[in-house]
Amino acid sequence: MPPKAAPKSKQGDLSRRRATRIKDGDDMTDMGDTDGDDWMNTKTLVKPDDQLDLNDQELKEEFTRILTANNPHAPQNIVRYSFKERQYKQTSHVDQLAIHFALDGNMLHKESDEAKRQMAKLGIPDSGEVAGSEGGETTPAAGGAPAEGEEGKDEAKEGEQREEAGTPGPGTAAKGEKLTNQFNYSERASQTYNNPYRERGTATEPPPRATFASNVTQWEIADAYHEDFEKQEKSKEKKTIPGRKEEEKTRKKLTITETQGDDISRISKATKIVERMVNQNTYDDIAQDFKYYEDPSDEYRDNEGTMLPLWRFSYEKAKKLAVTSLCWNPMYKDLFAASYGSYDFMKQGSGMILFFSLKNPSFAEYIYETDSGVMCLDVHPEHPYMVAIGFYDGSVGVYNVQKKEPVHRCTAKNGKHTDPVWQVRWQKDDLENNHNFYSVSSDGRIVHWTIIKNELLFEDVITLTLPGAAGEGPDGTKVNTVGCGTAFDFHRKNDYLFLVGTEEGKIHQCSKAYSSQFLDTVDAHNMAVYKVRWNPFHPRIYITCSADWTVKIWEVSSKTTADKSETSSVEAQTKKPLFTFDLNNSVGDVAWAPYSSTVFAAVTADGKMFVYDLNINKYEPLCEQMVAQKKKTKLTHVEFNPKDPIIIVGDDRGNVTSLKISPNLRKMPKEKKGAPPMDPKQKEDNEIAKLDKILSMVREPNEDKK
């Protein structure tokens, strides 16, 4: 009997090894000690009938095939409607994803309530119960060694239970093997390639350093002061020495390179718009007053008005200079030009030309610095980019707004004045369409300047001579005394006719056609005449102001001095003005209002501004207001805006103040309801008739005496 038990043990070992291999996932292949029945079938290669016969060279040839992620079955011509462009457009992006198999899973976390309910329903012990059973039960090996047949039967039963239930037994859990879940998932793991980290850095050279040590003594400090003083003296000498063309060329090159290299010039337009927006927010209350505010107190006072201060324009470098002239731009009604110089003979230096805009009161739009003080300027009425300038050194020039340097400037070789130029005025182009302007100076010359190509040509129109005996020179020769011209103005309609005011207080009526004598002369004032202006509506009325504290309104006589006898010429020289207003201080400037023939404004040296309306009050001003903010500030010039009810006033401290005119100071004749608006010609006739009505009341006493 014992020899018969050997095959059974061999068969038991074989079944045990097979069960173990099945449990461990073996592929049922025995190596070494195997049974004679476990032969593997050999693989036989079956050649298809339609296979090609290739030689060795053809077999070695490589065919490269590139696998891409693009779906070959994806459509390439899908067209969709674009609501943005309102047309059908072909879509360039097509979904290349192809799904071959999709299965929705129903995994539950084993600690969730639903998983616990399902496990309790299926009779699967919880993890805690399994741990308890591991501690309490004993393994079969501890109780005794069973028979070999029973052991094989138990292992087969255990294998069947594991396959059916899919859960490990308590014996396997005790060995520390990994428990699988009830769905028999196979776990796979993979690792992705991590890109290596890159560090990029740059090393710069440290800035050079030097250790310096020295002892300072009194004589070294004194030597340093002397060297600095000598450098200042040399710089002053360089400024005073004229005619250094090389230095001017280098300076121009530097300015050109600076402007080219300046990055902010690329966004200058955008920055200017932003700057105006910021200023509009900063000065919002003033802008609202300018646009909408009307003084309500004017309703309760008929013969009085006020001036509401608005913006104040100034520039840091021009605070020590005086405003010598003001002129509004004829095209852009918010832009005006101001010239800066000095009226003091002992304090002459450089000058400036500034262009300010009501849209940006904090900073000038254009800035031009000059080597000599600018005493006057005038903007061309048809070409607003051209500005005529008169300097204190007697020269005149023409500026283009887009260029920093003057386009034309006269010198001693081509008609430069010997005294300061007090006023310049553009005139209509001549027959050859050449730009031309006139200038008046203290040297007694009135010069006609013409721009022909790139040259500035001059022609003396008339020389202001004083009547009476000629003065005697040092050697006994007779020298004609020359009058000093201070102001002039051309007639609005007859442009050949113009008035000239002199330092002697005379008003000369002149013509471009006569260069030897005056058409008429009036002893207007006792001191220098500062301004003479024609009335913008009436062709025979003009106004003058002087340093003798008076403002006078005159009427041009119908006959000239040449047509009169000696007695009539004496009467012409003693001619009386139509109106005389005493302002108790030197009158710096006077200006007619552009909207009425009877309204004018004047400024004085004590900082006051006066506004008169002859139609309302012929004797007293409707408005007398202090404009200067500081004491001893002299008002130098005044100018009305041609469109808006604004007036600008300049002083001798470089400030320009803008003020709004109240409704009482700009009363207009009421239009009838339903009537069509008046054309400019009819409006001008009404203004002339209004002024004639007032003048007729003044002329009556004179006519009675005659």
Side-chain angles (χ1 to χ4, degrees), residues 695-706:
L695 297 179
S696 63
M697 300 171 63
V698 180
R699 293 193 195 107
E700 285 177 359
N702 295 333
E703 291 177 359
D704 294 341
K705 289 179 183 178
K706 292 179 182 179

Side-chain angles (χ1 to χ4, degrees), residues 53-285:
D53 294 331
L54 301 176
N55 54 20
D56 295 340
Q57 185 178 0
E58 291 176 345
L59 289 172
K60 290 180 181 179
E61 186 177 358
E62 294 182 357
F63 292 94
T64 304
R65 304 189 71 179
I66 301 172
L67 297 178
T68 61
N70 296 333
N71 185 8
H73 301 291
Q76 302 293 334
N77 55 355
I78 297 177
V79 177
R80 299 185 186 278
Y81 184 76
S82 174
F83 290 92
K84 181 180 179 182
E85 300 180 6
R86 298 184 178 181
Q87 61 180 357
Y88 285 95
K89 293 190 68 177
Q90 184 175 354
T91 56
S92 58
H93 301 285
V94 180
D95 190 8
Q96 304 291 339
L97 179 65
I99 300 173
H100 298 284
F101 177 74
L103 177 65
D104 295 334
N106 53 358
M107 289 176 59
L108 296 173
H109 196 276
K110 62 181 182 179
E111 294 183 0
S112 63
D113 296 338
E114 182 65 25
K116 290 179 180 179
R117 285 196 296 270
Q118 291 185 10
M119 291 168 68
K121 187 176 181 180
L122 295 174
I124 300 172
D126 199 359
S127 58
E129 296 176 1
V130 173
S133 63
E134 287 177 0
E137 294 181 4
T138 59
T139 57
E148 293 179 356
E150 294 176 357
E151 184 181 352
K153 292 178 182 179
D154 293 340
E155 288 180 356
K157 289 180 181 179
E158 287 178 3
E160 291 176 1
Q161 289 177 359
R162 287 171 191 159
E163 289 177 359
E164 291 176 1
T167 56
T172 57
K175 295 178 182 179
E177 295 180 357
K178 189 175 181 180
L179 301 177
T180 58
N181 55 19
Q182 59 177 338
F183 298 106
N184 292 328
Y185 285 121
S186 61
E187 296 182 357
R188 301 286 175 90
S190 63
Q191 288 186 348
T192 58
Y193 179 72
N194 295 327
N195 294 323
Y197 290 105
R198 284 187 180 182
E199 292 184 0
R200 185 175 296 175
T202 57
T204 58
E205 295 182 359
R209 296 181 180 181
T211 305
F212 175 77
S214 177
N215 294 324
V216 181
T217 58
Q218 292 182 356
W219 51 85
E220 288 180 352
I221 296 173
D223 292 341
Y225 273 109
H226 283 297
E227 289 180 3
D228 185 47
F229 182 73
E230 289 175 359
K231 288 181 181 179
Q232 291 180 1
E233 291 294 330
K234 288 181 181 179
S235 62
K236 288 182 181 178
E237 290 177 0
K238 288 181 181 179
K239 290 181 180 178
T240 54
I241 295 174
R244 294 201 173 187
K245 295 183 179 179
E246 294 180 358
E247 291 182 0
E248 291 179 358
K249 288 181 181 179
T250 55
R251 187 176 62 186
K252 288 180 181 178
K253 289 180 181 179
L254 287 173
T255 54
I256 290 171
T257 54
E258 285 176 0
T259 53
Q260 288 178 352
D262 194 4
D263 294 334
I264 202 169
S265 60
R266 302 177 183 176
I267 55 171
S268 59
K269 187 175 181 181
T271 53
K272 187 176 289 187
I273 294 172
V274 173
E275 184 183 14
R276 290 187 176 185
M277 293 169 64
V278 172
N279 277 284
Q280 187 177 1
N281 293 334
T282 306
Y283 302 100
D284 181 62
D285 51 347

Side-chain angles (χ1 to χ4, degrees), residues 295-507:
D295 194 353
S297 60
D298 280 12
E299 298 178 1
Y300 306 101
R301 50 188 181 189
D302 295 334
N303 299 331
E304 291 183 8
T306 57
M307 306 293 291
L308 177 66
L310 297 177
W311 300 282
R312 185 166 168 265
F313 304 89
S314 62
Y315 186 62
E316 188 67 27
K317 294 183 180 180
K319 284 188 176 181
K320 295 182 180 180
L321 300 175
V323 179
T324 54
S325 65
L326 296 169
C327 183
W328 288 96
N329 193 292
M331 180 175 291
Y332 304 100
K333 305 303 181 183
D334 63 302
L335 187 68
F336 68 89
S339 63
Y340 292 84
S342 177
Y343 288 115
D344 192 348
F345 176 76
M346 301 299 295
K347 296 180 181 179
Q348 288 302 318
S350 61
M352 298 194 75
I353 306 166
L354 301 179
F355 284 80
F356 288 101
S357 174
L358 301 180
K359 298 176 182 177
N360 184 9
S362 63
F363 199 77
E365 296 290 319
Y366 301 98
I367 302 170
Y368 307 96
E369 296 185 9
T370 60
D371 53 358
S372 178
V374 183
M375 306 312 294
C376 56
L377 59 79
D378 189 31
V379 182
H380 199 285
E382 296 179 0
H383 306 283
Y385 60 89
M386 296 181 67
V387 184
I389 309 295
F391 296 95
Y392 189 86
D393 61 358
S395 62
V396 297
V398 177
Y399 272 79
N400 189 337
V401 177
Q402 298 177 350
K403 298 179 181 179
K404 288 291 182 183
E405 297 295 328
V407 182
H408 306 284
R409 185 167 180 177
C410 71
T411 59
K413 296 180 181 180
N414 56 354
K416 176 181 175 182
H417 290 280
T418 57
D419 280 343
V421 180
W422 294 114
Q423 196 169 355
V424 292
R425 186 60 58 90
W426 286 101
Q427 288 296 295
K428 294 180 181 178
D429 296 349
D430 57 12
L431 298 177
E432 297 178 357
N433 292 328
N434 294 322
H435 303 313
N436 62 94
F437 63 94
Y438 286 75
S439 64
V440 61
S441 172
S442 297
D443 61 359
R445 295 167 56 212
I446 296 175
V447 184
H448 176 213
W449 304 89
T450 306
I451 303 173
I452 298 178
K453 294 183 179 179
N454 293 326
E455 295 183 3
L456 190 62
L457 304 180
F458 77 99
E459 178 188 2
D460 288 349
V461 177
I462 196 170
T463 303
L464 305 176
T465 57
L466 292 176
E472 292 185 359
D475 54 351
T477 58
K478 291 186 177 181
V479 180
N480 292 328
T481 54
V482 180
C484 300
T486 55
F488 69 152
D489 193 22
F490 287 85
H491 200 275
R492 298 290 187 275
K493 295 181 179 178
N494 305 326
D495 56 353
Y496 63 87
L497 188 66
F498 62 94
L499 299 170
V500 181
T502 65
E503 198 170 331
E504 295 76 30
K506 298 182 182 296
I507 301 294

Side-chain angles (χ1 to χ4, degrees), residues 672-693:
K672 296 181 180 179
K673 293 183 179 180
M678 289 189 295
D679 56 346
K681 178 64 176 173
Q682 186 178 359
K683 182 180 178 181
E684 183 179 356
D685 293 341
N686 291 344
E687 292 294 334
I688 293 173
K690 181 174 70 173
L691 185 56
D692 277 333
K693 182 179 179 181

